[in-house]
Amino acid sequence: MKYLVRFFVIILITFCTTISKSENLLIVYIDMDKVMNETVAGKSIVNQLDKIHKLNIAEFEKIESELKSEEALILSKKNIISEDEYIKEVNILKKKIEEYKNSRKKKIDSVTQKKATATTNLLKQLNPILANYSKEKNISIILRKKDMIIARSDLDITNAIIDLVNSKVKKIKLN
């Protein structure tokens, strides 16, 4: 019985100490998607990726139209040329289509890789900014908004961080 009372006293003291320390904690949140999309550097990344994507789409459409016209030409010659020659031309066309598919997949993967690298680079530059901001404002924890269920809007530091990032990071170049 004596040990049980001591145990509860120790738990009570620990609990009270924890509560008094937690009153000094300042927890805020940030909308990382908004930071990535509304900062100058984030917009720069999106614009560069859009340009690359549009160039790739134009190139893909050109190659596809060439392959379709070649297919139509082969189909128009089907009754004129021998069956062996027809099969040979169809196999050549199949190889070209397969090469096109591989090339397209490589370019799409390259764009995806560039996006991931640029996003990682922006996050690396964002981390020291967040660390300095939290030190200046005595913030204990910064959470992502998407991980939150509900919080007061005055705890949102997104706009302040966007202003800081815009003043320090102007552009992220894609490789």
Side-chain angles (χ1 to χ4, degrees):
M1 184 70 169
K2 184 170 145 181
Y3 295 114
L4 190 59
V5 171
R6 285 184 182 173
F7 176 73
F8 283 118
V9 169
I10 292 172
I11 294 296
L12 183 65
I13 292 171
T14 306
F15 185 70
C16 289
T17 307
T18 305
I19 289 175
S20 68
K21 287 183 181 177
S22 67
E23 290 175 6
N24 297 331
L25 289 178
L26 178 57
I27 300 173
V28 295
Y29 63 94
I30 184 170
D31 186 354
M32 291 301 289
D33 293 332
K34 187 175 178 181
V35 170
M36 297 301 267
N37 293 325
E38 292 187 11
T39 57
V40 174
K43 288 178 183 177
S44 165
I45 292 170
V46 170
N47 289 338
Q48 291 176 59
L49 289 172
D50 281 345
K51 285 180 185 176
I52 293 171
H53 181 68
K54 286 177 183 177
L55 289 173
N56 286 345
I57 293 292
E59 184 180 339
F60 294 153
E61 289 174 350
K62 179 183 172 193
I63 293 172
E64 285 174 9
S65 67
E66 289 173 359
L67 290 173
K68 285 179 184 178
S69 65
E70 192 172 331
E71 178 185 24
L73 181 65
I74 291 172
L75 287 175
S76 68
K77 293 195 283 184
K78 180 178 182 179
N79 295 330
I80 300 172
I81 59 176
S82 69
E83 191 171 327
D84 290 336
E85 216 174 295
Y86 173 74
I87 292 172
K88 189 177 182 182
E89 287 187 22
V90 167
N91 288 335
I92 291 171
L93 179 64
K94 285 181 181 178
K95 285 181 183 178
K96 287 181 181 178
I97 291 172
E98 198 60 38
E99 288 173 4
Y100 163 71
K101 286 180 182 178
N102 290 336
S103 170
R104 181 180 172 126
K105 184 180 182 317
K106 284 180 184 177
K107 287 189 178 194
I108 291 171
D109 290 345
S110 172
V111 169
T112 305
Q113 179 64 34
K114 286 179 181 182
K115 180 180 180 182
T117 304
T119 303
T120 302
N121 192 2
L122 181 58
L123 288 174
K124 282 181 184 177
Q125 293 185 19
L126 182 64
N127 280 338
I129 294 170
L130 286 173
N132 285 342
Y133 186 81
S134 67
K135 189 179 279 187
E136 288 173 5
K137 303 290 183 180
N138 291 325
I139 297 172
S140 301
I141 300 172
I142 300 176
L143 300 173
R144 288 180 182 239
K145 184 176 182 179
K146 70 179 182 181
D147 297 331
M148 307 271 304
I149 296 172
I150 191 166
R152 294 188 333 235
S153 61
D154 63 322
L155 298 176
D156 187 2
I157 61 167
T158 305
N159 292 330
I161 297 300
I162 288 173
D163 292 338
L164 284 172
V165 172
N166 284 341
S167 68
K168 295 183 180 184
V169 183
K170 297 296 181 192
K171 187 173 181 179
I172 304 275
K173 291 188 179 184
L174 298 179
N175 293 338

